Amino acid sequence: MSTLVLASASPRRLALLARLGIVPAAIDAPDIDETPLKAEQPRAHARRLAREKAGRVAARHPGHFVLAADTVVAVGARILPKAEDAETARHCLALMSGRRHHVITAMALVNPDGRVREAESESTVIFHRLTAEDLDALIADGDWQGKAGGYALQGTAEAHVRWMAGSWSGIVGLPLAETRRLLRAAGYPLG
């Protein structure tokens, strides 16, 4: 029987997969350049990165199912970066304050025979207007580190959400309904 390899080092994706009753046989995070291409739109960017991650890891694990995902936060057509420092996180959060933004998570699944299937989830989130004190608290808690758009919905940022539509798990990093459908369509055995 083929096994599933998760092409991600994200503890959130691993925990979300566990909610589907899946424990990957291996975790193999690819090291790829995640810089958006010139004029690349958010949805296309997320899809491209998910495919690249899955392809890179599948080459190292032939004969297995390989699941990869990429989450992009966008304000309009502007792709927000993963926040690697407090200044970037503050800038992203200030930009989203009181405004609508989109969270797109694209997934790519490589079957044991090498065929690739794709799925995605798009959610919309609106934060309340964030005060200077709100921004200071969000930066101080550190949940922003390494997160697209500078926040983690499953952290303290959720208390600042005025409205959202879509998939909570998709915003966190792996939309469960879409992942389940993708795996089933590929013939992966689910309980």
Side-chain angles (χ1 to χ4, degrees):
M1 177 178 141
S2 296
T3 55
L4 180 80
V5 176
L6 178 61
S8 173
S10 167
R12 293 160 305 288
R13 288 193 179 115
L14 185 61
L16 287 166
L17 265 183
R19 292 174 68 181
L20 292 176
I22 298 170
V23 176
I27 296 170
D28 186 352
D31 183 20
I32 65 167
D33 181 0
E34 297 190 18
T35 305
L37 302 175
K38 185 174 177 143
E40 188 172 39
Q41 295 295 304
R43 182 181 307 275
H45 180 65
R47 283 180 161 191
R48 178 178 62 83
L49 293 183
R51 278 192 307 271
E52 285 184 19
K53 290 174 182 180
R56 178 92 38 102
V57 172
R60 298 193 292 247
H61 299 273
H64 297 284
F65 286 94
V66 175
L67 178 66
D70 191 77
T71 301
V72 170
V73 175
V75 175
R78 181 177 181 179
I79 299 169
L80 300 185
K82 283 187 181 176
E84 301 299 338
D85 57 57
E87 182 180 334
T88 301
R90 182 180 296 275
H91 175 75
C92 289
L93 290 165
L95 182 65
M96 293 182 289
S97 175
R99 295 177 66 183
R100 174 184 311 251
H101 66 275
H102 299 275
V103 182
I104 302 156
T105 297
M107 295 160 297
L109 177 68
V110 179
N111 292 5
D113 65 7
R115 285 181 295 151
V116 179
R117 295 175 183 267
E118 297 180 70
E120 65 187 55
S121 165
E122 181 170 348
S123 302
T124 304
V125 180
I126 302 175
F127 284 137
H128 289 284
R129 271 219 191 274
L130 300 173
T131 65
E133 293 79 21
D134 293 334
L135 289 169
D136 289 344
L138 286 165
I139 298 305
D141 72 21
D143 278 349
W144 53 266
Q145 295 178 10
K147 306 294 189 311
Y151 77 93
L153 186 65
Q154 70 277 20
T156 58
E158 188 172 15
H160 298 282
V161 173
R162 179 168 58 96
W163 180 87
M164 66 176 269
S167 169
W168 182 89
S169 58
I171 296 168
V172 174
L174 191 68
L176 294 179
E178 291 82 353
T179 300
R180 188 171 183 274
R181 280 195 301 271
L182 184 66
L183 290 166
R184 281 228 163 150
Y188 183 82
L190 290 168

